[in-house]
Amino acid sequence: MEEHKTTPPEQDIPEETVQQADGGDVQNAPEETPEGAPETSAGEAGQPEQDAAEAAQASAAAQAAAQQEEKYLRLLAEYDNFRKRSVKEKEAAWTDAKASAAAEFLPVYDNLERALKAPCSDAAFLKGVELTMKALKDVLAKLNIEEIPALGETFDPALHNAVMHIEDGEAGENTIVEVFQTGFRTGEKVIRFSMVKVAN
């Protein structure tokens, strides 16, 4: 029998491998970095500039936030002052209106007071006047309107109007010995001064 020798098939060898084997230039071979040398890149070179830009942006944002907070606090303070001022003005307007209305009723009070001081033999009539006076005083009290103390008190020009002065050894200095007209006030506001006689 004849022996058949089988020839192995030829393999295609890349030209680059052949060039490497022949000592030719290797274009695709990666460059080696010397051992211990730091590797640098374009991104790392621009990192300090990027950090500086971010720091500047953060500083500008913090400054803008501080300005907005200052504006907010100023606006809040202005609103609080406006609210307090509005409340005071409202209370003052109510007090003035109440005092003005009460002043219109004071002549009625004066007439009832004179009627009670006048001699009267009709007990029923006198009782009716007393009840009317009591009803008027109750209305004034509900409005927080009160009489100004005068008889026996020390004269106070902020509350009393002295129309007469007398010398009285039994009375103290600047003591009110007689009241001609009752005064009224609501809180610190005087509606009408007490008309009085002052001793010494």
Side-chain angles (χ1 to χ4, degrees):
M1 296 179 64
E2 293 182 0
E3 295 180 358
H4 295 280
K5 294 182 180 181
T6 305
T7 303
E10 295 182 358
Q11 299 179 352
D12 294 333
I13 301 174
E15 293 180 0
E16 294 178 359
T17 306
V18 175
Q19 290 178 358
Q20 291 178 8
D22 293 342
D25 294 336
V26 181
Q27 298 178 355
N28 296 329
E31 296 180 357
E32 295 182 358
T33 302
E35 185 176 354
E39 296 183 359
T40 59
S41 63
E44 292 178 349
Q47 189 66 30
E49 296 180 359
Q50 183 178 358
D51 292 344
E54 291 179 354
Q57 290 179 356
S59 177
Q63 185 177 3
Q67 292 177 353
Q68 292 298 325
E69 182 180 6
E70 183 180 357
K71 290 181 180 179
Y72 169 75
L73 293 176
R74 187 182 299 111
L75 181 62
L76 185 64
E78 290 177 357
Y79 172 75
D80 188 55
N81 292 335
F82 169 76
R83 182 182 60 81
K84 292 179 180 179
R85 185 169 59 253
S86 298
V87 171
K88 289 182 179 180
E89 290 176 354
K90 183 178 180 180
E91 291 177 352
W94 162 243
T95 300
D96 291 342
K98 182 172 58 175
S100 178
E104 299 297 325
F105 286 95
L106 294 185
V108 178
Y109 180 95
D110 296 336
N111 290 333
L112 292 173
E113 194 172 42
R114 293 189 190 97
L116 291 174
K117 291 178 180 180
C120 181
S121 58
D122 190 338
F125 174 80
L126 182 60
K127 185 65 175 179
V129 175
E130 290 176 348
L131 292 176
T132 303
M133 173 63 89
K134 183 179 182 304
L136 180 57
K137 287 184 176 181
D138 290 343
V139 172
L140 295 176
K142 288 179 180 179
L143 295 174
N144 195 29
I145 297 173
E146 58 183 2
E147 297 181 13
I148 296 176
L151 187 61
E153 300 288 331
T154 301
F155 175 76
D156 183 356
L159 301 174
H160 311 123
N161 180 21
V163 294
M164 289 184 64
H165 290 82
I166 62 169
E167 295 294 331
D168 189 342
E170 297 181 356
E173 185 73 15
N174 288 333
T175 301
I176 297 174
V177 294
E178 187 175 353
V179 179
F180 299 114
Q181 190 177 64
T182 304
F184 291 87
R185 65 184 177 186
T186 173
E188 298 297 325
K189 182 179 180 60
V190 175
I191 300 175
R192 186 176 73 179
F193 291 91
S194 298
M195 191 180 298
V196 298
K197 179 194 293 185
V198 181
N200 307 319

